[in-house]
Amino acid sequence: MIEIRFHGRGGQGAVTSAELLARTAINLGQFAQAFPSFGPERRGAPVVAFCRIDDRPIRLRTNVNHPDLVLVLDPSILRLVDVTAGLKEDGVLISNTRYTGMEIRAELGILHAMATVDATRIALEELGLPITNTTMLGALLKADEIFPPAELIEPLRARFGRVSEKNFKALMRAYEETQVLPSAFSRKEARRG
């Protein structure tokens, strides 16, 4: 099973991202679930959404506490929330940021593998809006190709209609521009030994 946690702000589309991934997996004959974790949040407040994908029926109905992948839609969340909490050692942090993975590692001490892309810039250039949900799905698929990016075309059409092509173009640009930084866990362990 692949478990993914999405961090964003209300109105940025974290829930939509999770739903698009789940819908794509289901279209491919897999089992999936997507759901938000809402409290009294309002537009702009930090929110979390979750997605699970598996080849077998999924019986879990809890939040994703030990994700394989963490997707951060808003760069300010990196400094507000411990987005790596529970992230598996071989997991990947995928972040919308104008900084490189090495710069984030140096500032925040994150040892996990990271995939970084300036999704806000891409979204503004391709969509005319700073909404990064579909753009960040391209970064996620670059970090861990759960399925080929083209498999999202139909779910994007179903969700966004006539603007789906722009969303797919933004997704593909992020897929191409995402930089992946390997985990530093093995090097740290090697230095201890």
Side-chain angles (χ1 to χ4, degrees):
M1 182 180 333
I2 297 170
E3 295 185 295
I4 307 162
R5 188 172 63 216
F6 298 76
H7 290 271
R9 291 185 178 276
Q12 288 184 325
V15 174
T16 301
S17 292
E19 289 172 357
L20 285 166
L21 271 185
R23 182 178 303 246
T24 303
I26 291 166
N27 288 350
L28 292 170
Q30 296 176 300
F31 296 89
Q33 58 180 218
F35 54 98
S37 175
F38 286 124
E41 289 88 351
R42 63 191 188 289
R43 186 169 199 78
V47 297
V48 180
F50 309 98
C51 181
R52 288 188 176 98
I53 299 171
D54 202 347
D55 293 328
R56 296 176 294 172
I58 301 169
R59 308 250 185 261
L60 291 172
R61 296 289 183 254
T62 61
N63 290 348
V64 173
N65 296 315
H66 300 287
D68 300 285
L69 304 166
V70 170
L71 189 79
V72 180
L73 282 87
D74 186 293
S76 68
I77 298 287
L78 288 171
R79 288 160 188 85
L80 294 175
V81 175
D82 180 7
V83 295
T84 61
L87 181 60
K88 294 175 183 170
E89 191 170 297
D90 62 347
V92 182
L93 171 65
I94 305 142
S95 184
N96 170 18
T97 179
R98 61 183 179 166
Y99 299 104
T100 67
M102 286 301 289
E103 290 170 321
I104 293 169
R105 181 167 285 159
E107 180 184 346
L108 301 176
I110 296 170
L111 299 177
H112 291 87
M114 282 185 272
T116 56
V117 67
D118 190 347
T120 301
R121 177 183 51 79
I122 293 170
L124 284 169
E125 291 171 4
E126 298 297 337
L127 305 170
L129 297 167
I131 298 174
T132 61
N133 57 347
T134 55
T135 308
M136 285 303 293
L137 289 177
L140 182 142
L141 294 177
K142 177 73 172 253
D144 187 329
E145 196 164 305
I146 300 166
F147 32 76
E151 296 296 343
L152 274 151
I153 291 172
E154 286 307 315
L156 286 172
R157 276 191 192 133
R159 176 75 171 153
F160 297 110
R162 62 183 175 83
V163 295
S164 64
E165 288 180 28
K166 286 183 176 184
N167 279 275
F168 187 69
K169 188 174 178 188
L171 181 151
M172 287 307 299
R173 271 198 58 197
Y175 183 84
E176 296 300 325
E177 295 179 26
T178 296
Q179 300 295 310
V180 179
L181 178 68
S183 169
F185 282 117
S186 59
R187 285 179 278 181
K188 184 179 178 186
E189 294 304 316
R191 277 184 258 157
R192 284 187 193 163

